Amino acid sequence: MEWLIAKRGDVNAIYNFNCSDKYATPEEFTLKDGTPRPILGYIDLLYGVVIMLLYVPCLCVMLQKDNIRLSCFKIMFLLGFVDLCAIGVNSVTNGILLIEGAVYCSHPLTIFITGALGLGLWCSACMICLILVLNRVLDILFPTLVKRYFAGSRTTMVLLIPVFYGVYFCFFTPPLLFTSRYQAWFFDPFIYENKTLEYQNYPHTANNLFIVVATCMLYGYFCAAIAKQFRKRVESTNKKSHTQIFLQSTLICLVNFVAAMIYVYMQFFPVADFVIVIGHISWQLGHGCPAFIYLFMNTTIRNGVSRIFRLKRPHVHTKTTTTVSMVGHPGHHHHSSSIH
């Protein structure tokens, strides 16, 4: 993005991103290089709209006073906001471009900016996930460290790390660029032949290889720690919570891992079209499936959303209880020792 700012918004003035010397108009690029895919486009567009509609009430619940005071909900809210913005790129914008059959040079400025934003949001979400699972691991195994690093405004300070991390990728690394020919986003704008390696974003590769893998390893450690605790207990509710945590963490890890690995591999090597589609769908699910997990597998958020839409009458608890769940990327909060 800093290239675009340096060139005062003139994409064609950026080295190797010049569309003006090939065809005369953007429409010619769409006609000659693009492949309209209206069915896939409308599916992506519908998916994006549905996820946004599901996510907004979940974020409203997270912002409620009793929830947002907890460090994990602060992290979850930022993650949810980032996911919501990312869905606007990889599903809504992606769907519109697929319907048209656009390529980078069809809308160079728009695609350059949205691609930079999408990249920054993905990398920021990866870092937030790492912080969230670290928060959960510390909460279970080393609760004193949670108070040291995540108490009060300290969580906000910690969350500046993924914010600046995402800004770095958005402004100081090459952007992702859309092409309907392959139904996905690449760093190569496919203007010139045999120049793919000149467009590579190696910090993105490092993010996908190290941050995502480290998060998956921590997820596994988190599940093992939960399992060890639950083996000492006999309540069926604990076993149910353990199963839900394992299923949620496994699902999120698998989706993010597949998206990360495919997007790294397909930037360097030719792959079959269906593999590219799987990679892009995984990217969409990585930002979108947390909304479903919040609503169907997180008791606190599900009940909060039900009350917002008056689907469930509010009731008074005789004692404060705990929700244990891996959300969107994992998350639980606790007020006492009971679990439901």
Side-chain angles (χ1 to χ4, degrees):
M1 189 82 81
E2 89 281 6
W3 298 338
L4 189 62
I5 296 173
K7 300 299 181 180
R8 298 182 180 180
D10 184 4
V11 178
N12 290 326
I14 303 174
Y15 173 71
N16 274 358
F17 288 86
N18 182 12
C19 297
S20 62
D21 61 353
K22 192 172 182 183
Y23 302 138
T25 64
E27 290 75 17
E28 286 185 301
F29 279 101
T30 301
L31 181 63
K32 296 181 180 180
D33 294 340
T35 305
R37 303 178 188 273
I39 296 178
L40 289 176
Y42 282 115
I43 291 174
D44 280 0
L45 192 56
L46 178 62
Y47 169 79
V49 172
V50 169
I51 291 298
M52 287 180 167
L53 291 175
L54 292 176
Y55 231 137
V56 170
C58 294
L59 294 179
C60 292
V61 173
M62 294 178 200
L63 279 176
Q64 291 174 357
K65 185 177 179 180
D66 288 342
N67 295 329
I68 199 64
R69 66 185 179 84
L70 302 168
S71 62
C72 65
F73 272 101
K74 289 185 177 73
I75 303 171
M76 287 161 55
F77 177 80
L78 178 61
L79 181 59
F81 179 78
V82 168
D83 283 341
L84 197 63
C85 295
I87 286 294
V89 175
N90 67 21
S91 297
V92 176
T93 301
N94 190 82
I96 295 171
L97 295 175
L98 276 176
I99 294 169
E100 178 187 342
V103 294
Y104 165 67
C105 286
S106 301
H107 310 284
L109 182 59
T110 299
I111 291 177
F112 193 99
I113 293 174
T114 54
L117 289 173
L119 174 64
L121 291 166
W122 160 257
C123 294
S124 180
C126 289
M127 181 62 73
I128 298 171
C129 286
L130 182 62
I131 292 173
L132 184 52
V133 70
L134 180 62
N135 175 272
R136 297 299 82 216
V137 169
L138 293 178
D139 193 30
I140 290 176
L141 301 179
F142 309 101
T144 55
L145 292 181
V146 171
K147 294 180 180 179
R148 180 182 301 175
Y149 296 111
F150 291 97
S153 60
R154 294 179 185 179
T155 302
T156 304
M157 299 301 294
V158 170
L159 290 178
L160 290 176
I161 297 173
V163 170
F164 288 119
Y165 187 72
V167 168
Y168 163 74
F169 278 92
C170 180
F171 282 91
F172 301 105
T173 70
L176 281 167
L177 305 169
F178 178 81
T179 174
S180 60
R181 186 193 308 174
Y182 301 116
Q183 312 167 55
W185 298 69
F186 294 79
F187 294 108
D188 188 346
F190 298 105
I191 302 173
Y192 310 104
E193 294 183 1
N194 303 319
K195 284 193 173 185
T196 297
L197 292 179
E198 295 186 21
Y199 295 98
Q200 290 311 311
N201 187 325
Y202 295 103
H204 166 264
T205 301
N207 173 84
N208 283 17
L209 290 177
F210 297 111
I211 300 297
V212 174
V213 171
T215 302
C216 289
M217 292 175 65
L218 272 175
Y219 270 124
Y221 185 66
F222 179 85
C223 289
I226 289 289
K228 185 176 180 180
Q229 284 199 355
F230 285 171
R231 284 194 201 103
K232 302 176 183 178
R233 305 184 183 187
V234 295
E235 294 90 348
S236 60
T237 53
N238 288 345
K239 294 179 181 179
K240 183 178 179 180
S241 296
H242 177 210
T243 301
Q244 288 186 351
I245 292 167
F246 179 78
L247 290 175
Q248 291 175 64
S249 61
T250 301
L251 175 62
I252 295 302
C253 276
L254 180 62
V255 169
N256 284 349
F257 184 79
V258 170
M261 294 303 105
I262 290 180
Y263 257 84
V264 167
Y265 189 84
M266 75 185 195
Q267 304 298 331
F268 294 93
F269 307 101
V271 295
D273 288 352
F274 79 92
V275 176
I276 296 174
V277 172
I278 291 173
H280 185 73
I281 291 175
S282 298
W283 180 25
Q284 292 174 314
L285 290 176
H287 289 295
C289 68
F292 291 102
I293 291 176
Y294 291 143
L295 290 173
F296 296 106
M297 303 184 76
N298 186 290
T299 306
T300 300
I301 293 180
R302 183 174 66 247
N303 291 344
V305 172
S306 296
R307 285 192 290 271
I308 288 176
F309 291 100
R310 301 184 184 278
L311 300 176
K312 184 174 182 178
R313 295 180 62 185
H315 58 278
V316 179
H317 290 281
T318 56
K319 67 174 182 177
T320 308
T321 58
T322 299
T323 299
V324 176
S325 62
M326 296 284 290
V327 289
H329 313 293
H332 77 274
H333 66 283
H334 56 250
H335 306 278
S336 73
S337 59
S338 62
I339 302 174
H340 69 275

